[in-house]
Amino acid sequence: MMRTLSFVAALLLVVMHPAGAQRFVTLGMSDADVIATLQKLQKAVSAGDRATVAGMVNYPLRINHGPDDHTTLRTRADLLKHYDEVFAPEVRRAVVAEKLTDVLGSTEGVPLGKGAVWLASTCDKGRPPSCHLGITSVNLKKPPR
């Protein structure tokens, strides 16, 4: 009886304590891996480290300018060429300001900065498959006309 109560108490602590929850299980990655990726991205964006940011992209990178206006960057070189347009100041600010405690994952990925940047897990076709969390899309506000 005492073992059962101890187990139930421990289970309640895990369920009720946010640190015990696996927020990113739908990505197939641990919370620790996702948080480490987010911290690396924030550090790189904050430092203006374009090469590191470009290395954290799961290509092709989709750039959304509006509901029916999309661009695709297929390579790291393409992103570096258009970095200032893609990672515009408002996108950089949104990524850096994101509080890691507020970030949640879904089957579609992890939105940062209210969806300015999306990270998702992309897997190769190896056996066993290897999955990598990376930037998959950037949503830019369409300039007013």
Side-chain angles (χ1 to χ4, degrees), residues 60-103:
L61 176 63
R62 181 179 168 128
I63 313 302
N64 299 307
H65 304 279
D68 299 316
D69 187 6
H70 316 287
T71 306
T72 301
L73 299 177
R74 302 218 174 269
T75 67
R76 176 186 181 112
D78 289 340
L79 175 57
L80 290 171
K81 184 177 177 181
H82 299 283
Y83 186 88
D84 288 329
E85 300 160 48
V86 174
F87 286 93
E90 64 274 7
V91 172
R92 294 192 308 264
R93 281 191 298 273
V95 169
V96 171
E98 185 68 61
K99 292 182 179 161
L100 300 179
T101 55
D102 294 341
V103 177

Side-chain angles (χ1 to χ4, degrees), residues 27-39:
L27 294 171
M29 303 188 92
S30 73
D31 281 17
D33 289 339
V34 174
I35 295 298
T37 299
L38 294 173
Q39 289 173 328

Side-chain angles (χ1 to χ4, degrees), residues 38-51:
L38 294 173
Q39 289 173 328
K40 180 180 176 182
L41 177 62
Q42 286 182 316
K43 182 178 177 183
V45 169
S46 181
D49 184 351
R50 297 166 183 235

Side-chain angles (χ1 to χ4, degrees), residues 22-35 37 58 110 119-123 130-134:
Q22 286 293 312
R23 295 180 287 165
F24 307 105
V25 71
T26 57
L27 294 171
M29 303 188 92
S30 73
D31 281 17
D33 289 339
V34 174
I35 295 298
T37 299
N58 288 346
V110 178
L119 295 114
S121 186
T122 304
C123 303
S130 176
C131 299
H132 310 279
L133 182 65

